[in-house]
Amino acid sequence: MLGRLYVTLPVSFSKNTSSSARWKAYCEPKDFNPQNPSIFISPPASASVGCYKFYLYVALKNGKWNCVSGNFILLCNPWCSEDAVHIPFEDQREEYVQSDSGLLFMGTATNPISRPWSFDQYEPGVLETCLNLLQVSPLHKKNKRRDYLKRNNPVYISRVVSAMINCEDDCGVLKGNWSKNFKEGVNPSTWTGSGDILKQWAQSAYKPVKYGQCWVFAAVMCTVMRVLGIPCRVVTNFDSAHDTNDNLVIEEYYSETGQKLNHTKDSIWNFHVWVECWMDRRDLGSEMNGWQVLDPTPQHRSKGVYCCGPAPVKAIKKQHIDLVYDIPFVYAEVNADVYAMIVSKGKVLRVHKDTERVGSLICTKAVGFPRPQNITAEYKYVKSHSPALSSRSSTPSDISTLSRDSSSGMSVFLTLDESPVAGAPIRFMVQVINKHRVAKMLKVHLNAQAKEYNHSPSDTFWEEHGVIQLAPSEVKVMKQQIFPAQYEDVVGDDMINLAVVLEDMANEERVLASEEFNIACTELSIEIPDESSVEINKDQTATISFTNPFTQPTSGVLTVTGAGLMRSKMHYRMPTLSPGGVVEQRVTFRPYMVGSRMLQATLSFTNINTTIRGFKMISVES
């Protein structure tokens, strides 16, 4: 029985495998005991997901009946070739269904930063909470029978989960917050896993947990889908377009001196995180089988509800925008064009079109390895197949963005010397080319602003202005740097928007180059004395060390957690550490689950808006 739906079937004394389309039950004749029977129940591959009740009736020789009842939970089965979520490779089933830890990728396309995450699907109570998520959804409350019947379809299940991860239309799991005011809840950056979020939601009688942002929504959905047996992976789209007017164009505005302006509702997030789930699309045809985009972040209404997908990745690449679900929205996120404009007194002085920036890198965690896998080519036709992770540049020194403008008499290129690291100067160079055969006198304006990954930049924190002279056809390179003391108190975990505007003093013609980048922090180091001897229910010791890379003293709180390794989080107050100083913290834990486990450490500073993380994969033996 599933709710009030039921099926009655005889128990046979042979394992009949002739048909997998019906419910079957059998027992071994030699082992049959009517007082304590062992019965094997075999559901069809198309059976609905849920918590079932069963009743077993045995007719005894004396004319009486013996009745046994119980419960079992039925999930999707990616190992079954007839199941709509069947994924054919064992290493992918291990990664996308069984693995309870992973990496989320953030930062920028040219400098992706990995963030460890614990999916926690084996933690106590998580399975029950994920099943209850289906029970408290509006579709179940509206029509229980219809909901139960449709739970045999992963397309339907995934849409229900996508809507229920956010709380905008229902009693969903998470409340989004993209402000900097998290007083009524938790800063999204402090979450380290899905278990705490799902448990808090269940224990509060399904009141939304505060707060989440895109990577939190996606990671929690990944947990729920894996629990339900649907292969799932977390995907990051770098330079993700948020096209509010559906014209596939993102407009950006800059002042005459290179300051980025907030003049439009359109935006480009430095990164946006969603999930992909693996399933057959029997509603669309076998050519659309495979990975499907689902986005639980509440930014798009699909049939009136804040959810997105499942949109076949193959349909996005082939531009089949007439198919369901939400393909045009996802297509714009990875393919919109960018128009960067220099404006003055309401007048547009210059427009530059960039067709490669949006969706410049789409990646997920590689199967079996703690590194990103570039899947950009699965979404769009990339022009070149560089061996590097990013599809736009092969090395950090080759990075350049807005610049090339053949209609202008001058060109400008803005290039970072290397990926910026906390505690070191940001070094970059500006290359100016005079394409005319006459000398030019140019004004040069350099501007740096801090920005959150999903917002327009804040006020300028660094700028330089000057005048240079170029001979006919001359190329001039100017080297610049921004020192740590100039950016540490401003940037923190935020990005930097760096722009240069050239102005031809003879005709007031202008050209623009810009780059948005993140500043990487050194990770916490985690060492285990003898990694080959970690055993279940046996005390182990880890040493966590940190070297202060900043130009000022730091202090903070170290938090250590690990699903299957420790029952609860451990917190340690770290002493004030001088620049360049080193501190170590010994942590004792007792593993309670075998297999590959992730030990996480997070150091949150009290005087700097930065969080440093580290993780260690530990193999626990029985």
Side-chain angles (χ1 to χ4, degrees):
M1 294 182 67
L2 182 61
R4 294 186 177 181
L5 301 175
Y6 69 93
V7 60
T8 303
L9 59 154
V11 179
S12 67
F13 286 102
S14 65
K15 185 178 180 180
N16 182 8
T17 58
S18 60
S19 173
S20 61
R22 296 194 301 269
W23 286 85
K24 293 177 292 185
Y26 72 96
C27 64
E28 296 290 345
K30 62 181 183 297
D31 298 328
F32 183 71
N33 178 356
Q35 301 302 322
N36 188 22
S38 293
I39 304 296
F40 298 87
I41 301 175
S42 176
S46 59
S48 294
V49 167
C51 185
Y52 286 74
K53 295 180 180 179
F54 71 87
Y55 298 90
L56 175 66
Y57 295 94
V58 181
L60 305 179
K61 289 183 178 180
N62 59 11
K64 296 183 178 180
W65 288 84
N66 186 26
C67 177
V68 178
S69 64
N71 301 303
F72 65 87
I73 292 171
L74 187 64
L75 306 173
C76 296
N77 185 358
W79 282 263
C80 174
S81 59
E82 296 177 37
D83 199 302
V85 301
H86 172 66
I87 193 166
F89 302 106
E90 181 60 26
D91 61 342
Q92 293 185 0
R93 291 192 287 261
E94 290 178 3
E95 180 72 46
Y96 301 138
V97 182
Q98 293 180 291
S99 178
D100 65 347
S101 64
L103 297 178
L104 316 179
F105 295 99
M106 307 164 79
T108 58
T110 52
N111 189 21
I113 303 298
S114 61
R115 174 172 293 187
W117 190 270
S118 183
F119 294 112
D120 296 330
Q121 63 258 44
Y122 305 118
E123 291 298 293
V126 170
L127 168 63
E128 292 78 10
T129 300
C130 293
L131 289 168
N132 287 340
L133 181 145
L134 302 178
Q135 297 297 106
V136 300
S137 74
L139 290 176
H140 181 77
K141 293 178 178 179
K142 182 179 179 181
N143 189 328
K144 292 182 176 60
R145 183 179 186 277
R146 184 176 182 271
D147 176 66
Y148 279 135
L149 289 172
K150 292 177 77 68
R151 282 195 205 170
N152 68 345
N153 183 355
V155 173
Y156 174 81
I157 294 173
S158 65
R159 283 184 64 78
V160 170
V161 175
S162 177
M164 284 297 297
I165 296 299
N166 70 76
C167 67
E168 297 306 309
D169 308 290
D170 43 50
C171 54
V173 178
L174 280 160
K175 176 69 176 177
N177 186 343
W178 283 266
S179 73
K180 289 191 174 182
N181 181 6
F182 306 115
K183 290 182 179 179
E184 295 183 7
V186 174
N187 185 329
S189 293
T190 63
W191 296 115
T192 59
S194 304
D196 289 343
I197 296 170
L198 289 168
K199 290 174 185 175
Q200 182 178 327
W201 179 65
Q203 291 169 0
S204 68
Y206 310 116
K207 293 180 181 178
V209 177
K210 300 176 180 179
Y211 292 103
Q213 292 184 6
C214 65
W215 71 91
V216 185
F217 286 105
V220 173
M221 181 167 183
C222 185
T223 294
V224 176
M225 300 308 281
R226 289 184 183 183
V227 164
L228 298 179
I230 300 175
C232 188
R233 63 188 187 183
V234 181
V235 171
T236 301
N237 176 39
F238 287 98
D239 296 308
S240 186
H242 287 244
D243 181 18
T244 57
N245 55 6
D246 299 324
N247 64 350
L248 290 178
V249 171
I250 304 296
E251 297 173 340
E252 294 186 334
Y253 297 89
Y254 286 82
S255 73
E256 298 172 272
T257 56
Q259 185 177 31
K260 195 172 185 181
L261 307 172
N262 186 16
H263 281 2
T264 176
K265 292 183 179 180
D266 285 354
S267 63
I268 298 176
W269 290 17
N270 294 100
F271 64 88
H272 180 50
V273 185
W274 57 64
V275 301
E276 290 176 0
C277 292
W278 181 277
M279 64 186 74
D280 290 348
R281 290 304 299 268
R282 296 169 184 175
D283 55 331
L284 300 179
S286 59
E287 66 275 9
M288 293 296 135
N289 291 350
W291 291 114
Q292 316 285 320
V293 172
L294 287 142
D295 190 349
T297 299
Q299 58 180 348
H300 169 72
R301 287 193 181 274
S302 178
K303 295 192 173 181
V305 177
Y306 274 111
C307 69
C308 180
V313 173
K314 294 175 182 176
I316 296 165
K317 182 171 182 175
K318 295 178 181 179
Q319 303 179 32
H320 292 323
I321 59 175
D322 55 324
L323 301 178
V324 292
Y325 293 91
D326 310 304
I327 296 169
F329 181 79
V330 182
Y331 178 84
E333 288 183 299
V334 300
N335 284 294
D337 294 336
V338 181
Y339 286 77
M341 289 168 268
I342 304 173
V343 296
S344 175
K345 300 177 181 178
K347 180 181 178 182
V348 176
L349 305 178
R350 195 75 191 171
V351 179
H352 179 90
K353 181 180 179 181
D354 190 337
T355 60
E356 298 181 26
R357 178 178 164 193
V358 169
S360 56
L361 171 65
I362 306 169
C363 70
T364 187
K365 179 187 174 296
V367 175
F369 296 96
R371 61 171 184 251
Q373 175 187 348
N374 187 344
I375 58 172
T376 311
E378 296 182 20
Y379 280 81
K380 54 200 295 186
Y381 296 98
V382 292
K383 295 182 179 179
S384 61
H385 296 280
S386 165
L389 181 66
S390 172
S391 60
R392 296 184 64 194
S393 59
S394 57
T395 63
S397 61
D398 289 338
I399 299 165
S400 64
T401 52
L402 300 175
S403 57
R404 304 168 183 84
D405 194 336
S406 59
S407 63
S408 172
M410 52 189 172
S411 292
V412 59
F413 296 81
L414 178 62
T415 308
L416 296 174
D417 290 1
E418 57 188 1
S419 297
V421 177
I426 300 167
R427 295 186 173 92
F428 63 97
M429 63 180 182
V430 177
Q431 184 184 55
V432 183
I433 303 173
N434 181 6
K435 297 190 288 187
H436 282 182
R437 296 182 179 179
V438 296
K440 285 185 176 292
M441 189 73 72
L442 304 175
K443 288 182 180 179
V444 182
H445 305 284
L446 291 163
N447 189 287
Q449 301 162 266
K451 73 177 295 291
E452 295 179 69
Y453 75 97
N454 62 313
H455 283 166
S456 296
S458 56
D459 294 336
T460 297
F461 71 86
W462 177 90
E463 58 186 329
E464 290 282 345
H465 306 278
V467 177
I468 60 171
Q469 185 173 356
L470 270 71
S473 303
E474 182 184 2
V475 177
K476 183 167 287 188
V477 174
M478 297 175 289
K479 291 187 176 293
Q480 296 282 342
Q481 56 185 336
I482 306 174
F483 293 101
Q486 296 173 300
Y487 69 75
E488 280 181 351
D489 291 335
V490 180
V491 178
D493 284 331
D494 292 341
M495 314 283 178
I496 290 180
N497 181 276
L498 182 63
V500 56
V501 171
L502 293 184
E503 179 184 347
D504 189 332
M505 297 177 66
N507 57 17
E508 297 186 346
E509 182 183 27
R510 293 171 176 84
V511 291
L512 166 74
S514 72
E515 179 71 54
E516 289 186 353
F517 56 88
N518 55 312
I519 300 175
C521 280
T522 54
E523 294 185 352
L524 296 174
S525 173
I526 305 177
E527 298 295 334
I528 307 291
D530 187 357
E531 296 182 36
S532 61
S533 63
V534 179
E535 297 178 5
I536 192 169
N537 297 323
K538 181 180 178 182
D539 284 347
Q540 308 291 335
T541 301
T543 301
I544 302 169
S545 58
F546 164 68
T547 302
N548 181 10
F550 304 107
T551 60
Q552 56 186 292
T554 60
S555 61
V557 176
L558 177 70
T559 302
V560 184
T561 183
L565 298 174
M566 52 183 63
R567 299 285 182 179
S568 59
K569 294 181 179 180
M570 298 181 183
H571 303 280
Y572 306 89
R573 183 163 293 281
M574 306 300 284
T576 300
L577 197 62
S578 301
V582 180
V583 65
E584 291 186 348
Q585 177 67 53
R586 289 169 62 87
V587 177
T588 301
F589 60 95
R590 176 171 287 192
Y592 57 92
M593 288 185 184
V594 298
S596 180
R597 302 292 162 200
M598 176 186 282
L599 183 67
Q600 289 191 61
T602 304
L603 179 55
S604 300
F605 297 105
T606 55
N607 60 329
I608 299 178
N609 181 29
T610 302
T611 302
I612 294 183
R613 299 173 176 83
F615 72 96
K616 183 83 171 179
M617 298 307 299
I618 300 173
S619 180
V620 181
E621 303 296 334
S622 61

